[in-house]
Amino acid sequence: MTALVRLRLAGFLRTGRALAPVLAGLLALGVLYGGGRAQPAEAYGVSAVVLFPVLAWQTKILLDVEPDVQRRLARVVVGAARERAAGLLAAAAAGLGTVAVALVFPWLVGGVTGPSGPGDRPLAEGLALGLWAHLLALPAAVALGALASRAITRSAGYGVAVLTLGAVTALVLGLSGSVAPWLVPPVLPTARALAGPLAAPTGLLLTAWALVWAAVALAAYGWGRRRRA
């Protein structure tokens, strides 16, 4: 399965398809950090929200690069479960690369600043919370991108519709006062939590929420792939 993960990452990179989501992410982050400096935790919380649709799009592109015939052959060789897992692991690995860029980028453009007052978080804590926010968004973004992939939707139009609907719904239902926030991953609630003091129970709740949502979405992806096989 490791070889299949490498093969999918290589196909994603060598075809140049990786450039579009990376450039889109850099453009969005450039706009985000162009408004002035902020504390790392707060800035990274918003960064995770901005990157969520980008990471989902990146996942869709990576999964769609492989031709359908090659995907069927891989399923025969390594088994259906391993073939699905290889695609998701490749998407997660690519997503981690994008997250790493997002964590470094604001320091290069002067978008974040260290603690300047007695109430500010220590720098190390802000960085850790920023990494946590991005890692919470990544599994849900991978799951959304997988659900929008060609293997599920069978057409580019339906795939774009699923991706757009998922990203927009995550933002709309994630707003404060939403009637059904649990229907979407907690990207916006995490950003709001990082804007102020974060209690340990809140952090654990957000982590569990994100993991459960991603698990349900990935289970739906697995069911859809089995049904389409």
Side-chain angles (χ1 to χ4, degrees), residues 5-215:
V5 171
R6 291 176 179 172
L7 179 65
R8 290 186 170 176
L9 283 172
F12 178 60
L13 295 172
R14 290 176 182 173
T15 58
R17 306 274 177 88
L19 286 177
V22 170
L23 292 177
L26 289 176
L27 177 61
L29 292 175
V31 173
L32 170 64
Y33 292 116
R37 292 188 171 189
Q39 292 295 308
E42 182 178 0
Y44 284 141
V46 180
S47 168
V49 175
V50 170
L51 278 186
F52 174 74
V54 176
L55 291 168
W57 181 36
Q58 179 177 269
T59 297
K60 173 176 167 49
I61 292 174
L62 185 148
L63 294 178
D64 287 351
V65 164
E66 186 177 39
D68 294 338
V69 173
Q70 183 175 319
R71 185 169 56 248
R72 295 189 191 101
L73 289 174
R75 188 166 63 240
V76 171
V77 173
V78 301
R82 288 188 175 185
E83 182 271 324
R84 291 193 300 271
L88 295 174
L89 288 174
L96 286 174
T98 303
V99 166
V101 172
L103 293 176
V104 174
F105 181 79
W107 297 97
L108 300 178
V109 299
V112 290
T113 182
S116 57
D120 293 339
R121 291 186 176 96
L123 181 58
E125 181 182 348
L127 292 174
L129 289 173
L131 176 62
W132 169 73
H134 285 85
L135 292 181
L136 282 193
L138 179 57
V142 168
L144 175 59
L147 289 172
S149 65
R150 188 176 65 250
I152 296 293
T153 61
R154 298 303 193 195
S155 77
Y158 288 139
V160 171
V162 170
L163 189 66
T164 304
L165 180 63
V168 172
T169 303
L171 296 178
V172 172
L173 293 184
L175 293 173
S176 180
S178 170
V179 295
W182 60 87
L183 292 178
V184 295
V187 286
L188 274 177
T190 300
R192 287 196 297 271
L194 292 183
L198 178 65
T202 302
L204 291 175
L205 175 62
L206 290 170
T207 301
W209 179 356
L211 292 177
V212 169
W213 193 94

